[in-house]
Structures are given as C-alpha cells and as structure tokens.
Amino acid sequence: MSTEKTDFTSFATEHPNYFPGQYLLEEDFELQHKYLSDRQRYRNQSLHVSGIIEGLEVEIVKDKKEVKILSGSAIDSQGNLIVLKKDEPFIEFNGIAKGELYITFHEEPQNLQQTTAGTETRMVEEPLIEFAEKTPVGSVKLANLQIPETSETSVSFDNNNDRQYSGISLPNSNSKTLTLRSGGNGNPNLAVLTGSLEIDGTLTVNDSLTIQERKINNNRNQINDINFY
C-alpha cells in the first residue's frame, strides 16, 4: 500500500490570538476550528491506518432479513473519527445477494436559528451505514454478508468475513506504508506487521516461534515452516 503526498496548500497554519476586549468575527471561529481539525485529521491519517477502533460488531437478527450494528468507533482513510453512539438496526440491502456492510463519516447542519436554510447552529456527525458489493474508498468495512431471498430467513456472514481494524502507520522515506495492526476477528491476538522488523536488543518469546523460510527451487518459491519451542 502506497502513501499519497499530502497537499498542504489549504492546511491551516495560523489561528486567532485572543486578548481581552477583542472583536471576533465569524471567520475567526471558523479558522480556530479548522486549525484544530486539520491537525487532528492529519495525525489520524498519517500515523494510523483506516479501520475499526472498537465495537461496531454486526449481529444477526434471527429469522429476519436484518442485522444490528453495535455502537463503536473507527478511523477512515481521511483521518476522520467515526463514532456510532448507539446500536443501529439495518435492513436496506438493496436487492444485493452478497456484499459488504460499511460505515462512512457524515455530518449535516441542524438546529435552525431562523426559518431559512443556512442558519443552522450545529454541524452534527451522523455516520452512514450502507451495503454494497464492495466497500467504497473512504469508508470502513464492518462485515461480509450473504442476504437471503425471503424476509423470514436470517442474514448470514460470508465465510471470508474479515473485519479490518485500525493500527499504526510508520512514516518512512520510500512511500511504502509500514503498518502494524491486529489479525482481525479471525486472529484477534495476533499483531501483523506489514514490512520488515529489526530488533536492537533482546527478543523474548514466551510461547512457540514460527519462521517462514523462503527458498527458490527450479524458478519456484518454496516456503518451509521452521518451528522453535
């Protein structure tokens, strides 16, 4: 996975300098918010990888064409923190027999101060939960699902129900992302490093250690597992 170069042209590098008696304009508050928001999203995007942080488990509703998504949080590829505050039912499968359930960061203006649009006093984050054959870029996949034809039959998980969790991204000089994340719901206690590992010190293993040794024989890659106990 390659990293994309950040466009810093619109990145906020100034913020209001407050003092007693100062006259503040609308753009002062907008600049303060953008200054903090730009930094938070940049940090999330640069030092983390997109995925689930906690919760957001998908539960099957028995004998119904319905699932329930439990409350939780995730980080998307733009560095947005997605928070689902309460459990949500979901039934909008759009006639797709097999696909992916995903969550997307979304916010919309609310609380009109006057009767006309554009006078809303709040931007409220309400994530979108949707279902498609493939999770779009910028969203976070929650589950692979198979949808029954009848409404009286339960939804089921696909055999390859990989849930990708967020992790750590290590900056480097060659634009190749080094990541560390869990093995997902299939192997939650496994830490998976994408890239090479160098240890400057002592390595202590309290259980077994498996090394995959790659050899090339007759132009074919052969991997042998070597176990140390």
Side-chain angles (χ1 to χ4, degrees), residues 40-100:
Q40 185 63 58
R41 283 201 308 272
Y42 179 65
R43 185 179 189 278
N44 287 344
Q45 184 182 28
S46 302
L47 300 181
H48 297 274
V49 287
S50 175
I52 299 166
I53 300 175
E54 67 170 311
L56 298 179
E57 293 91 352
V58 178
E59 293 185 347
I60 302 298
V61 178
K62 187 177 180 181
D63 299 329
K64 288 186 178 180
K65 190 190 275 189
E66 180 180 335
V67 296
K68 181 170 69 173
I69 300 92
L70 304 186
S71 61
S73 60
I75 290 179
D76 68 14
S77 58
Q78 300 301 310
N80 294 304
L81 177 63
I82 304 172
V83 177
L84 185 66
K85 298 178 68 174
K86 60 181 182 179
D87 300 351
E88 293 285 345
F90 185 84
I91 59 173
E92 301 295 331
F93 298 107
N94 303 318
I96 301 173
K98 182 178 179 180
E100 299 178 354

Side-chain angles (χ1 to χ4, degrees), residues 12 17 29 59 68 75 93 110 123 153 173 187 192 196 215:
N17 179 35
F29 293 101
E59 293 185 347
K68 181 170 69 173
I75 290 179
F93 298 107
Q110 293 185 11
M123 291 296 294
T153 306
S173 61
N187 206 339
V192 180
S196 300
K215 296 180 178 180

Side-chain angles (χ1 to χ4, degrees), residues 10-183:
S10 61
F11 197 91
T13 55
E14 60 178 282
H15 58 85
N17 179 35
Y18 300 110
F19 58 87
Q22 181 182 10
Y23 181 70
L24 295 172
L25 301 174
E26 178 182 347
E27 51 263 33
D28 293 318
F29 293 101
E30 291 176 345
L31 177 60
Q32 180 69 76
H33 175 77
K34 188 176 188 307
Y35 179 86
L36 297 174
S37 180
D38 281 358
R39 275 157 175 72
Q40 185 63 58
R41 283 201 308 272
Y42 179 65
R43 185 179 189 278
N44 287 344
Q45 184 182 28
S46 302
L47 300 181
H48 297 274
V49 287
S50 175
I52 299 166
I53 300 175
E54 67 170 311
L56 298 179
E57 293 91 352
V58 178
E59 293 185 347
I60 302 298
V61 178
K62 187 177 180 181
D63 299 329
K64 288 186 178 180
K65 190 190 275 189
E66 180 180 335
V67 296
K68 181 170 69 173
I69 300 92
L70 304 186
S71 61
S73 60
I75 290 179
D76 68 14
S77 58
Q78 300 301 310
N80 294 304
L81 177 63
I82 304 172
V83 177
L84 185 66
K85 298 178 68 174
K86 60 181 182 179
D87 300 351
E88 293 285 345
F90 185 84
I91 59 173
E92 301 295 331
F93 298 107
N94 303 318
I96 301 173
K98 182 178 179 180
E100 299 178 354
L101 186 72
Y102 61 90
I103 191 168
T104 306
F105 177 83
H106 174 74
E107 62 179 4
E108 59 182 37
Q110 293 185 11
N111 298 350
L112 278 171
Q113 188 176 63
Q114 302 174 16
T115 57
T116 57
T119 62
E120 294 87 354
T121 62
R122 296 287 186 274
M123 291 296 294
V124 180
E125 295 178 7
E126 294 183 344
L128 301 177
I129 299 174
E130 297 175 294
F131 186 73
E133 292 182 357
K134 190 72 176 176
T135 300
V137 176
S139 300
V140 177
K141 183 174 69 172
L142 302 180
N144 292 338
L145 300 176
Q146 293 186 353
I147 314 303
E149 294 182 1
T150 63
S151 58
E152 294 80 18
T153 306
S154 301
V155 175
S156 61
F157 291 113
D158 188 283
N159 291 331
N160 185 28
N161 186 36
D162 57 321
R163 281 163 53 88
Q164 198 162 56
Y165 285 80
S166 180
I168 301 171
S169 179
L170 304 177
N172 58 70
S173 61
N174 66 357
S175 298
K176 297 295 182 181
T177 302
L178 296 172
T179 63
L180 180 65
R181 68 168 93 210
S182 80

